[in-house]
């Protein structure tokens, strides 16, 4: 069983024909349990200050991500191909910056603190509302460990740290990531890295280093589905909020 996505009821930037504000449409309004918890807490923290959280995007299926890639490329905006976005893992949202910053109650820097308190991460380097993607926040959860692993050079250079994190997160909601020939092997590696083991690159190929890491994790099973099941139990114990 992969980590589940849960439906979430949250207001959006969209309106019906009578000018009533709509919730984020069902196909987008899905996220991991830890992200749902974080988003609702942030919404409530903002509401206490009289500020609305309106979202424009959250979950994207592989097809929706491909569409976003094509549409954004026409506008000169970067949006990754399927397999590289935290939106595809139900671990990212885009918010309405003008509603957030309305009446100057909050600055974007203030919001970054509220986000950080709830383990939500921006993807730009400074809280500048003029920067592209200033509206985007991730709930990285344990997949942030994969990002750090790559930042530390332990995964090599074939994937960027963010890409490796996104791939890990997407795999674990049970969505195919095309760059890996063996999805189960890649999931095993993602789990091992998040549990603190080293095995070189997250590449979907089980070699000696991955086998050593499986042994180091105390797993004696040899069939991939059994190894995966054992690792999932360990992930549930270590990161219960993600299940
Ligand atoms: Zn986004």
């Amino acid at each position: 069983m992969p980590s589940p996505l849960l439906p979430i009821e949250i207001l959006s930037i969209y309106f019906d024909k009578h000018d009533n504000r709509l919730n984020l449409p069902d196909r987008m309004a899905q996220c991991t349990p830890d992200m749902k918890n974080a988003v609702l807490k942030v919404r409530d923290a903002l509401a206490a200050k009289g500020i609305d959280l309106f979202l424009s995007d959250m979950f994207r299926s592989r097809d929706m991500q491909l569409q976003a890639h094509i549409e954004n490329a026409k506008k000169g905006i970067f949006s990754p191909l399927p397999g590289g976005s935290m939106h595809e893992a139900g671990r990212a949202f885009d918010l309405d910056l003008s509603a957030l910053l309305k009446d100057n109650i909050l600055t974007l820097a203030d919001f970054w603190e509220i986000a950080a308190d709830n383990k939500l991460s921006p993807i730009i380097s400074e809280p500048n509302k003029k920067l592209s993607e200033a509206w985007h926040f991730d709930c990285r959860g344990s997949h942030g460990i994969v990002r750090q692993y790559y930042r530390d050079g332990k995964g090599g250079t074939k994937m960027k740290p963010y890409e490796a994190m996104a791939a890990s997160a997407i795999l674990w909601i049970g969505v195919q990531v095309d760059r890996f020939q063996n999805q189960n092997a890649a999931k095993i590696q993602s789990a091992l890295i998040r549990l603190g083991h080293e095995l070189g690159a997250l590449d979907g190929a089980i070699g000696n280093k991955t086998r050593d890491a499986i042994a180091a994790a105390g797993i004696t099973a040899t069939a991939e589905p059994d190894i995966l099941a054992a690792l999932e139990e360990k992930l549930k114990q270590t990161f219960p909020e993600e299940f």
Side-chain angles (χ1 to χ4, degrees), residues 60 87 93-94 133 135-136:
R60 293 181 196 149
H87 283 290
F93 64 84
D94 298 328
E133 298 294 335
W135 51 80
H136 175 114

Side-chain angles (χ1 to χ4, degrees), residues 56-58 60 79 85 87 92-95 123 133 135-138 162:
S56 59
D57 207 351
M58 186 180 271
R60 293 181 196 149
S79 181
S85 167
H87 283 290
F93 64 84
D94 298 328
L95 56 75
I123 56 165
E133 298 294 335
W135 51 80
H136 175 114
F137 291 83
D138 290 330
Y162 192 92

Side-chain angles (χ1 to χ4, degrees), residues 38-114:
V39 172
L40 295 179
K41 277 199 190 151
V42 165
R43 178 194 65 188
D44 294 346
L46 291 175
K49 297 177 193 294
I51 300 167
D52 292 309
L53 178 64
F54 300 141
L55 302 189
S56 59
D57 207 351
M58 186 180 271
F59 177 65
R60 293 181 196 149
S61 67
R62 279 174 88 220
D63 280 355
M64 286 153 73
Q65 182 62 33
L66 184 60
Q67 243 6 76
H69 172 78
I70 293 165
E71 292 304 316
N72 283 330
K74 284 182 203 158
K75 298 180 216 150
I77 300 170
F78 175 75
S79 181
L81 275 166
S85 167
M86 292 290 269
H87 283 290
E88 292 172 85
R91 287 189 166 278
F93 64 84
D94 298 328
L95 56 75
D96 180 346
L97 270 183
S98 54
L100 183 76
L101 304 176
K102 203 175 133 203
D103 301 332
N104 297 314
I105 301 168
L106 274 192
T107 63
L108 187 55
D110 297 332
F111 181 71
W112 277 31
E113 282 185 29
I114 296 171

Side-chain angles (χ1 to χ4, degrees), residues 18 58 236:
H18 305 295
M58 186 180 271
K236 279 182 179 164

